[in-house]
Amino acid sequence: MTEMYKIQPDGLYFVTLTVVGGIDVFTRHEYCDLLVDNLNYCIEHKRLRVYEYAILPSRLYMIAGVEQGRSNLPKVLRDLKSTSAKQILRAIAEHPTETRKEWLLRLFQFFANRYQNDSEHHFWQFGNQPVDLDKFVKKDHPLPSPLASLMKEKIVDAPQHYLYCSAYPLQKVKLFQPDPGVLP
């Protein structure tokens, strides 16, 4: 593992979770809502702290960390990926009007056969690509933002117009709000 991707227990990270093959699953509200529900579960029960996020068609970007000394970010991300994958795959299989059902399940089966022998489907790519924001800032780089990717990929004109990001006024993820004057 390169130095860039080593996770410190109390750090703050820019995390990217990507669907295998760049498959655009998060184009239906039902699948995005399942991911939001899983994020909220990890926030409430596994001490995940999400500061910003954006769910794009094939990935989740977020600035996140865990409550100091109370949890382990790699384990929380593993649990998030495992649970959300099972729920989303089940939702795809059971969705009555999913026009791409056979194609999607065949692709997830292909990736399972390619990368795992003990699984029927493989949903998330291996790894989380965490970038330690402390090290990033020390190198005088501008902070990455999950919301900037919305603009870059021309999904919306302004991030606050996109339902599945932290800029949307009625978004449903329980974002962490640090106390003023106290560092996360």
Side-chain angles (χ1 to χ4, degrees):
M1 179 183 295
T2 66
E3 185 66 31
M4 183 180 200
Y5 294 130
K6 287 186 180 173
I7 294 181
Q8 303 301 319
D10 298 330
L12 188 61
Y13 295 89
F14 183 84
V15 178
T16 304
L17 304 182
T18 305
V19 178
V20 291
I23 302 168
D24 59 341
V25 172
F26 301 114
T27 55
R28 288 198 184 268
H29 293 292
E30 295 91 336
Y31 309 145
C32 291
D33 289 341
L34 284 171
L35 185 55
V36 167
D37 290 346
N38 278 285
L39 276 170
N40 283 331
Y41 179 86
C42 289
I43 289 166
E44 291 174 11
H45 299 284
K46 298 186 179 279
R47 313 279 193 217
L48 178 65
R49 290 181 171 176
V50 177
Y51 296 84
E52 272 192 30
Y53 76 97
I55 300 173
L56 276 67
S58 64
R59 63 185 50 94
L60 165 66
Y61 291 121
M62 63 181 164
I63 294 178
V66 291
E67 192 174 309
Q68 289 184 327
R70 301 287 302 245
S71 198
N72 180 314
L73 185 60
K75 288 180 183 177
V76 172
L77 293 174
R78 178 200 63 207
D79 293 348
L80 170 67
K81 289 169 70 173
S82 175
T83 305
S84 63
K86 289 174 189 170
Q87 291 178 358
I88 293 167
L89 287 166
R90 186 177 328 114
I92 291 169
E94 296 173 357
H95 198 291
T97 59
E98 176 59 77
T99 57
R100 306 181 311 156
K101 180 186 310 190
E102 290 177 17
W103 176 76
L104 287 169
L105 294 176
R106 196 170 336 119
L107 279 174
F108 292 128
Q109 186 176 29
F110 166 79
F111 284 105
N113 291 336
R114 186 173 181 185
Y115 297 119
Q116 300 174 246
N117 293 328
D118 61 345
S119 179
E120 186 177 340
H121 297 100
H122 185 75
F123 187 83
W124 294 108
Q125 283 184 5
F126 292 115
N128 309 312
Q129 303 173 356
V131 176
D132 185 343
L133 292 182
D134 289 334
K135 292 179 183 176
F136 204 79
V137 171
K138 288 176 185 171
K139 293 182 180 181
D140 294 325
H141 292 289
L143 281 176
S145 172
L147 306 177
S149 59
L150 295 171
M151 304 295 287
K152 181 180 176 186
E153 296 190 29
K154 297 183 176 149
I155 293 175
V156 292
D157 291 329
Q160 63 270 23
H161 298 156
Y162 187 65
L163 271 59
Y164 294 101
C165 79
S166 50
Y168 183 65
L170 301 175
Q171 65 85 25
K172 298 176 185 171
V173 172
K174 298 172 183 174
L175 298 175
F176 181 72
Q177 302 295 325
D179 293 331
V182 178
L183 295 174

